[in-house]
Amino acid sequence: MTCSTARNNRVLLLLVALIAACSCSKKPSPPDSEPATPRTAVTPKPTTALSDACRQHISDYHGHTRDGIDDSLRQEVADFQILVERALTYRAESIRLARRLKAEIRRGTPLSGSDLDALNSGMIAFIELRKIIYTVAEAHECWLDGDDSLFERVAISPQSRLKGVMLSVAAALVLYDNYLLAISIYEEDDKLRRFLNERDTGYDIGRAELATVTMSYNSATNRRRVRAALVFYEDRIAGQSPLFLQDDQAAYLDLLIKQSPSYHMTREFSPLFVIGNKLSFLRGITGDTLRNLTSSGVEIFSMVFGNSVGVIESRHGKLYDNRDVLGEVSASLAAGDVLLEKTPFRLTDRFIPGHWGHAAVWIGTEQELRRLAIWDHEVVQRYHEQILQGHAVVEALRSGVHLNKLDQFLNIDDLGVLRNTTLTEPQLADTIIRALRQVGKAYDFNFDIETTDKIVCSELVYVVHTNITWPTENTLGRETISPDHVASKALQPGPLHVTMLYHDGQNIRPPYERFKALISGATAL
């Protein structure tokens, strides 16, 4: 074995450990013993009184009144949403990195020291995040036991009880999904599997540490608890009135659970069967079951994580793959335009307040950039090849700021196109340069406009169109800007002009009144 081969395998081992750190524990436990992964829920059992620990948690964190419990639960979900953004950001970055590293290993290309450093740093961050999410997953375990009357006595309504259980279930599935991603990264690599459990003191990786993770993950006890929690959730959610999911946080948790790759696999294969049993070689069972899995047509990485997001989307957007819409939109766009989108089938729309869930900037075509006399600018030159291939949408995604094609962007239901009509040509040229300078930056899951090294979608518009005084909002001590804040500058007599609107897949002409109604919360005039 060459040095570069060993190094390549070690890099992927670190990548696996980076993501699997979300589920790791210090000491191995037998498969059917008390698991070290999150104790989301036990099998619901009859009980005549809440446990002392359960009462203490309710008293310490929720209080004794229904309003107090509802308010504290809303705060718990809000805090959890930030954690999910962090987890999904890391997941998107890991998926992107895994694809690149797998390709390099197939080519036999040596990997750089910066790859090792990035993996090691990410591992530390993942471990810290795992600890916090683990706590959320445990928080409402006892809420599964007993009937609703027990909880009514401590001012917890059936709806709040369900919401609390959904919070813990969602947190547990986030941890399961991170481990599922780790499995899928190396499940096709023959050489890597021989080195999975080697010790590496330089990266503080103990011998058999990944086997420890898998034994914990494979725990039959843990799978029974998760199954019980999912049964409780599915039974209760089916019996709720439509009003329950009109609550933005309940809708968010419901979508997060349903978009979980682990939950998706329970629907397709039976609860965690593929991961819990087919991948049991890490516990020392002989036989290349992974190869059999792949040859049977089950390729986990591409099936579950092929969308670069790390979640399962229930459908495509209503403008997706519509050549007529693509032609009409591309013909009407001008350099510097702001693009707004709504995708109710994605988590971001449930997390970000307001109608619009995402914003991007159109940098224009080669012809427009030549007219602005910036085609040969050093910043633009870096992206000549991509621009000539149709990449003209600058957008901040969880995997970072990218220059994407319009047809990729149009996997959406609603589209708003806003034009800054106050710019001179030199100002517009500077705007395009600023947009391209953002490409490659990391995603800002803290949504803080006062940081410039990381950026989120609406912050992109904030830092690019600098001649506009943008509205902001203080959230958890940070100044933030939402896509609806951006949209508000298109209300008359604002500096932005609405040039196009698609709503619910339909082209709205003229667009302004409907656009105004959407921002105010109405869906139709």
Side-chain angles (χ1 to χ4, degrees):
M1 181 177 65
T2 65
C3 180
S4 62
T5 301
R7 186 184 183 202
N8 285 353
N9 281 293
R10 175 57 60 197
V11 168
L12 268 187
L13 173 57
L14 285 172
L15 177 63
V16 171
L18 182 158
I19 304 165
C22 290
S23 302
C24 74
S25 57
K26 292 297 182 182
K27 297 181 180 179
S29 56
D32 291 313
S33 69
E34 195 72 15
T37 44
R39 298 172 63 224
T40 314
V42 296
T43 303
K45 55 182 180 291
T47 182
T48 58
L50 297 176
S51 68
D52 291 341
C54 192
R55 286 184 176 277
Q56 192 64 46
H57 170 81
I58 294 170
S59 176
D60 291 347
Y61 291 93
H62 298 291
H64 303 283
T65 66
R66 181 157 294 189
D67 287 345
I69 287 170
D70 290 344
D71 289 346
S72 62
L73 196 54
R74 285 198 68 83
Q75 186 60 54
E76 281 187 290
V77 176
D79 293 342
F80 175 63
Q81 287 174 317
I82 298 295
L83 295 176
V84 172
E85 284 302 304
R86 289 175 61 186
L88 293 181
T89 298
Y90 287 134
R91 197 180 300 172
E93 292 170 350
S94 299
I95 291 169
R96 190 178 174 206
L97 183 58
R99 286 175 172 164
R100 179 170 64 80
L101 295 183
K102 278 191 167 193
E104 291 182 4
I105 285 177
R106 284 193 294 269
R107 292 193 300 267
T109 305
L111 302 175
S112 69
S114 63
D115 290 330
L116 292 170
D117 181 65
L119 292 171
N120 197 40
S121 300
M123 188 191 312
I124 295 171
F126 254 123
I127 290 172
E128 289 303 312
L129 182 60
R130 181 262 174 193
K131 292 177 182 176
I132 305 171
I133 297 178
Y134 181 103
T135 302
V136 178
E138 284 189 312
H140 303 100
E141 174 180 355
C142 63
W143 289 26
L144 272 175
D145 296 332
D147 57 35
D148 287 335
S149 63
L150 289 176
F151 292 89
E152 290 278 9
R153 294 173 200 166
V154 289
I156 297 176
S157 68
Q159 291 74 27
S160 293
R161 181 188 181 190
L162 173 58
K163 189 174 178 181
V165 171
M166 289 170 66
L167 175 59
S168 284
V169 169
L173 288 174
V174 168
L175 296 181
Y176 266 88
D177 291 344
N178 287 333
Y179 179 73
L180 175 60
L181 174 58
I183 287 288
S184 69
I185 283 174
Y186 61 77
E187 53 95 3
E188 287 184 303
D189 192 276
D190 292 334
K191 293 181 180 179
L192 174 62
R193 295 199 291 273
R194 292 199 298 268
F195 298 94
L196 285 177
N197 290 311
E198 289 185 355
R199 180 180 178 85
D200 190 323
T201 57
Y203 289 96
D204 197 25
I205 297 176
R207 186 178 301 278
E209 192 153 335
L210 290 178
T212 299
V213 176
T214 302
M215 290 175 69
S216 176
Y217 181 88
N218 282 345
S219 163
T221 301
N222 198 38
R223 291 201 303 273
R224 283 194 297 270
R225 287 174 171 170
V226 174
R227 186 195 296 263
L230 291 176
V231 168
F232 180 93
Y233 152 73
E234 290 177 342
D235 286 349
R236 291 299 183 97
I237 202 73
Q240 293 298 315
S241 75
L243 291 176
F244 179 76
L245 290 180
Q246 288 181 17
D247 174 81
D248 56 345
Q249 290 189 338
Y252 174 89
L253 294 173
D254 183 59
L255 188 60
L256 180 58
I257 292 169
K258 289 176 178 174
Q259 290 194 343
S260 159
S262 295
Y263 180 74
H264 175 74
M265 293 187 75
T266 71
R267 312 300 295 172
E268 296 292 328
F269 297 101
S270 83
L272 302 176
F273 176 78
V274 171
I275 304 306
N277 295 281
K278 294 295 187 183
L279 305 187
S280 56
F281 71 96
L282 283 176
R283 292 186 290 169
I285 297 177
T286 59
D288 197 345
T289 55
L290 286 176
R291 181 173 297 175
N292 295 335
L293 194 62
T294 301
S295 64
S296 300
V298 181
E299 204 284 297
I300 299 172
F301 187 78
S302 62
M303 179 186 72
V304 180
F305 298 105
N307 62 6
S308 300
V309 179
V311 295
I312 303 298
E313 293 184 348
S314 58
R315 64 174 176 85
H316 291 302
K318 295 181 179 179
L319 302 184
Y320 175 74
D321 201 24
N322 187 318
R323 310 315 294 177
D324 291 338
V325 170
L326 178 62
E328 184 171 10
V329 173
S330 58
S332 69
L333 290 174
D337 281 354
V338 174
L339 309 181
L340 300 173
E341 69 167 43
K342 181 169 182 63
T343 51
F345 51 92
R346 289 182 182 147
L347 280 173
T348 7
D349 261 48
R350 302 294 184 182
F351 175 55
I352 295 176
H355 178 77
W356 299 102
H358 184 59
V361 175
W362 175 261
I363 63 161
T365 62
E366 176 190 359
Q367 292 72 25
E368 287 178 286
L369 300 179
R370 287 189 181 278
R371 178 176 57 79
L372 293 170
I374 56 173
W375 179 250
D376 293 322
H377 189 284
E378 61 178 354
V379 173
V380 179
Q381 284 181 346
R382 301 174 201 163
Y383 304 102
H384 274 182
E385 183 177 351
Q386 287 178 267
I387 294 171
L388 291 173
Q389 293 174 353
H391 295 253
V393 178
V394 177
E395 57 178 335
L397 305 174
R398 290 191 180 100
S399 55
V401 182
H402 302 284
L403 187 59
N404 288 329
K405 289 186 175 182
L406 182 61
D407 58 352
Q408 292 174 268
F409 184 86
L410 288 177
N411 185 13
I412 58 180
D413 284 3
D414 289 14
L415 169 69
V417 179
L418 312 182
R419 188 162 299 158
N420 190 341
T421 57
T422 66
L423 296 176
T424 64
E425 284 206 348
Q427 288 175 323
L428 179 57
D430 288 343
T431 297
I432 302 304
I433 298 299
R434 279 192 296 273
L436 287 172
R437 288 189 189 278
Q438 311 310 312
V439 176
K441 288 186 176 181
Y443 183 78
D444 181 15
F445 48 72
N446 286 318
F447 302 92
D448 188 351
I449 63 172
E450 295 178 334
T451 60
T452 58
D453 58 327
K454 298 180 179 181
I455 201 164
V456 75
C457 65
S458 42
E459 291 176 40
L460 175 68
V461 180
Y462 180 90
V463 301
V464 166
H465 284 276
T466 56
N467 73 315
I468 296 176
T469 301
W470 297 101
T472 61
E473 184 174 345
N474 188 282
T475 304
L476 300 176
R478 295 181 290 266
E479 290 298 325
T480 63
I481 181 172
S482 71
D484 267 29
H485 284 139
V486 173
S488 70
K489 284 298 183 177
L491 299 180
Q492 296 173 355
L496 299 179
H497 175 67
V498 185
T499 64
M500 176 175 283
L501 175 66
Y502 276 86
H503 175 50
D504 203 26
Q506 302 299 313
N507 194 347
I508 307 300
R509 296 173 175 159
Y512 179 76
E513 290 300 327
R514 180 68 63 86
F515 183 87
K516 179 181 176 181
L518 290 174
I519 298 177
S520 68
T523 57
L525 295 178

